[in-house]
């Protein structure tokens, strides 16, 4: 049998023999194994993108094998590639999204957060010496628009404490808050949780109505919420009327003034059309004569003014009565 170190054997190593060597390396690694870190391209992986796992190219490579985890374990084999015959063999954890290239680089398409973790590349040279390269892939989610939620939809002024929460919790995410388009003021009543995702307003006042905006940020994306405004219920001051009460009083007074003005105008326009008080003993027959029956409607005059009137008819009527005997 030829020595495995002879030139002929280095050029034509059987595939079954290579698999046996890789299997043995699961439990034992020669002391010549080099430890090199794998790099991801791009460096920050966003969910849904394509990522390359690159490594330092070795001289005279015979085969490459990629494993999930920090050790070389055939039960965690993703895929292996043999350089001399361009043969690829998929392992038990192959997902169908991986592609191995002749230089040992591995492409993962449409990465998900489940792809986050450690990976190990085992490079087998033609002299059966090996190099192990390890790395870690972290896939960051693309943050959706956060929504601010409140524990109390109608807090009462000076009584209730309101807790505002920014979106759903995600790892490796930082949060920031704004009120009225400004950063949060320093106040004993405003408190932030350790991760700044939760804002606590102690004993809310009407000045805390907002609007509030929160921002979620991770290494691959930034997203801001829509404005959120508190609806604070506040009571009337015990020493002064509230705005609602004052408004009601003003409206009531105006209505009364309008009614009085209308009544006064009605009386002014119709005062000449009212029937006059009847007067007995006036006229030739001594019957009552109303003011409305006269051709020229004028306000009634006192009796003594009628006696002084120069109207000859009136004078004759008075003289005629005086001449009539008993």
């Amino acid at each position: 049998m030829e020595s495995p170190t002879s030139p002929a054997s280095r050029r034509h190593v059987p595939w079954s023999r290579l698999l046996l060597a890789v299997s043995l390396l699961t439990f034992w690694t020669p002391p010549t194994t080099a430890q090199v870190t794998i790099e991801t391209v791009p460096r920050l992986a966003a969910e849904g993108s394509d990522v390359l796992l690159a490594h330092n190219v070795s001289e005279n490579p015979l085969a490459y094998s990629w494993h999930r985890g920090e050790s070389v374990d055939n039960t965690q084999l993703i895929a292996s590639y043999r350089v001399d015959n361009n043969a690829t063999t998929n392992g038990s954890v192959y997902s169908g999204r991986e592609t191995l290239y002749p230089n040992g680089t591995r492409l993962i398409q449409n990465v998900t957060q489940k792809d986050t973790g450690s990976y190990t590349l085992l490079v087998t040279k033609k002299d059966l010496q090996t190099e192990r390269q390890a790395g870690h892939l972290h896939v960051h989610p693309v943050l959706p628009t956060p929504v601010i939620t409140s524990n109390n939809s109608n807090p009462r002024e000076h009584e209730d404490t309101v807790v505002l929460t920014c979106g759903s919790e995600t790892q490796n995410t930082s949060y920031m808050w704004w009120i009225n388009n400004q950063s949060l003021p320093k106040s004993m009543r405003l408190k932030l949780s350790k991760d700044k995702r939760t804002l606590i307003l102690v004993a809310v006042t009407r000045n805390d109505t907002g609007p509030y905006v929160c921002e979620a940020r991770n290494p691959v994306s930034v997203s801001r919420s829509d404005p959120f405004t508190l609806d604070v219920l506040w009571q009337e001051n015990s020493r002064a009327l509230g705005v609602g009460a004052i408004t009601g009083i003003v409206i009531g007074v105006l209505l009364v003034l309008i009614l009085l003005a209308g009544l006064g105008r009605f009386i002014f326009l119709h005062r000449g059309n009212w029937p006059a008080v009847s007067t007995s003993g006036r006229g030739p027959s001594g019957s009552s004569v109303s003011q409305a029956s006269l051709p020229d409607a004028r306000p009634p005059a006192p009796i003594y003014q009628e006696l002084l009137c120069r109207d000859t008819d009136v004078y004759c009527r008075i003289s005629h009565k005086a001449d009539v005997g008993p």
Side-chain angles (χ1 to χ4, degrees):
M1 181 179 294
E2 295 180 354
S3 170
T5 58
S6 64
S9 63
R10 287 198 302 269
R11 289 191 300 269
H12 304 285
V13 177
W15 182 244
S16 59
R17 188 173 177 182
L18 176 62
L19 291 178
L20 177 60
V22 172
S23 178
L24 292 174
L25 287 172
T26 302
F27 306 98
W28 175 78
T29 302
T32 56
T33 298
Q35 190 80 17
V36 182
T37 301
I38 296 173
E39 296 182 357
T40 62
V41 181
R43 186 177 62 86
L44 299 176
E47 191 171 17
S49 63
D50 297 343
V51 178
L52 280 172
L53 299 182
H55 67 98
N56 296 331
V57 178
S58 302
E59 296 181 357
N60 299 321
L62 177 64
Y64 304 97
S65 61
W66 282 90
H67 302 261
R68 184 73 187 259
E70 297 179 355
S71 62
V72 179
D73 187 348
N74 283 338
T75 61
Q76 296 297 315
L77 176 66
I78 299 172
S80 59
Y81 176 82
R82 182 162 177 174
V83 177
D84 58 352
N85 59 4
N86 195 28
T88 300
T89 303
N90 298 326
S92 58
V93 294
Y94 176 74
S95 67
R97 295 178 291 112
E98 292 91 355
T99 301
L100 266 65
Y101 295 103
N103 63 355
T105 299
R106 182 167 67 99
L107 171 68
I108 308 177
Q109 295 177 310
N110 193 23
V111 293
T112 68
Q113 293 187 60
K114 292 182 179 180
D115 294 320
T116 298
S118 299
Y119 293 89
T120 300
L121 171 63
L122 184 65
V123 181
T124 303
K125 297 182 180 181
K126 292 180 179 179
D127 59 1
L128 295 185
Q129 298 296 314
T130 61
E131 290 181 357
R132 179 189 295 184
Q133 302 184 16
H136 186 86
L137 171 63
H138 190 100
V139 179
H140 300 275
V142 177
L143 297 174
T145 300
V147 177
I148 297 177
T149 57
S150 173
N151 69 326
N152 193 336
S153 58
N154 293 296
R156 293 167 296 180
E157 187 179 31
H158 303 304
E159 296 183 16
D160 294 334
T161 294
V162 175
V163 179
L164 302 180
T165 304
C166 181
S168 56
E169 184 177 4
T170 56
Q171 295 182 350
N172 300 314
T173 303
S174 59
Y175 301 91
M176 295 183 66
W177 289 87
W178 286 270
I179 177 172
N180 294 320
N181 297 322
Q182 297 179 354
S183 58
L184 294 179
K186 293 183 179 180
S187 173
M188 296 296 295
R189 296 189 304 103
L190 298 180
K191 299 180 180 180
L192 285 172
S193 60
K194 185 176 180 180
D195 61 358
K196 298 184 179 181
R197 177 171 167 255
T198 301
L199 174 63
I200 303 173
L201 295 87
V202 180
V204 292
T205 69
R206 68 193 73 178
N207 296 326
D208 295 328
T209 54
Y212 294 84
V213 173
C214 73
E215 178 185 277
R217 180 188 297 264
N218 70 3
V220 297
S221 62
V222 177
S223 185
R224 283 194 178 187
S225 70
D226 293 330
F228 175 85
T229 301
L230 282 178
D231 185 14
V232 179
L233 302 179
W234 52 280
Q235 298 177 350
E236 297 179 358
N237 194 310
S238 59
R239 293 174 296 179
L241 293 176
V243 174
I246 293 175
T247 303
I249 292 174
V250 171
I251 293 175
V253 171
L254 290 177
L255 289 176
V256 171
L257 292 177
I258 291 172
L259 291 175
L260 291 177
L263 181 60
R265 180 177 177 83
F266 177 81
I267 294 174
F268 177 79
L269 294 176
H270 295 81
R271 71 182 190 280
N273 296 328
W274 292 351
V277 179
S278 61
T279 304
S280 60
R282 297 171 57 188
S285 61
S287 61
S288 300
V289 180
S290 65
Q291 184 71 18
S293 62
L294 297 177
D296 186 12
R298 290 177 296 175
I303 296 176
Y304 73 91
Q305 289 184 2
E306 292 185 1
L307 294 176
L308 297 177
C309 181
R310 297 180 180 181
D311 191 330
T312 56
D313 292 337
V314 175
Y315 176 78
C316 291
R317 285 199 299 272
I318 295 176
S319 299
H320 177 72
K321 289 182 180 181
D323 294 340
V324 176

